[in-house]
Amino acid sequence: MTAEDDGRPPGNRFDDIADAADRAFRLLPAAPQDTQPPAGTAPRRPAHRVTTDPDTVERDLIKLVLTLVELLRQLMERQALQRVEAGDLTDEQEERLGATLMILHSRMVELCEQYDLTMQDLNLDLGPLGTLLPPAE
């Protein structure tokens, strides 16, 4: 179906993309036998289903991108701390790295505020694996 077919003016690609994403990510509910735990084990939480809404697809995409950026930021921060502790960096490099990581963190907070998200919203629940990001210290 094209934009012309459903009465929308041609050229509104965002609506077309939102509709395509909604169709692509629409998941069927799990069958009851899929959520029943095997005999003798504790019941587990039902799997979270991806729900998409054409009205929120931009915010959801931003949330996913920011989640990935935050994961990479935290990994870079840990790597930097390991290098500092190992003495691999000069004092100037340590200062520059610290300032860069602080700026990146502050920019992440600004972007979250811009899209009405919190840093906790970026911590995806991976079901039995736990959360994507470690708890805030």
Side-chain angles (χ1 to χ4, degrees):
M1 173 169 21
T2 64
E4 293 82 18
D5 296 337
D6 63 4
R8 285 189 307 218
N12 193 344
R13 303 262 312 138
F14 290 117
D15 287 341
D16 293 339
I17 292 168
D19 290 342
D22 184 47
R23 287 190 309 273
F25 291 110
R26 191 172 298 133
L27 298 174
L28 297 173
Q33 67 271 17
D34 294 341
T35 59
Q36 297 297 322
T41 61
R44 49 176 219 176
R45 296 182 306 180
H48 293 284
R49 298 290 176 203
V50 174
T51 56
T52 59
D53 179 3
D55 298 331
T56 63
V57 72
E58 178 183 6
R59 183 177 183 273
D60 294 340
L61 183 58
I62 290 293
K63 181 179 175 182
L64 178 61
V65 169
L66 289 177
T67 297
L68 293 173
V69 170
E70 177 61 13
L71 176 64
L72 292 173
R73 185 196 70 77
Q74 287 187 15
L75 292 172
M76 289 185 332
E77 190 174 89
R78 286 192 191 108
Q79 180 67 33
L81 287 174
Q82 288 176 351
R83 292 188 67 193
V84 166
E85 289 172 358
D88 291 345
L89 302 173
T90 65
D91 289 342
E92 181 183 325
Q93 289 172 325
E94 285 180 23
E95 289 294 323
R96 195 170 32 160
L97 186 57
T100 302
L101 289 172
M102 286 175 29
I103 291 168
L104 182 56
H105 178 72
S106 116
R107 185 64 181 131
M108 283 295 297
V109 170
E110 290 172 15
L111 285 169
C112 284
E113 288 173 0
Q114 181 178 346
Y115 289 96
D116 196 29
L117 296 166
T118 66
M119 293 299 278
Q120 287 297 0
D121 291 336
L122 305 182
N123 198 358
L124 301 178
D125 182 2
L126 301 176
L129 298 176
T131 57
L132 177 66
L133 304 172
E137 296 174 1

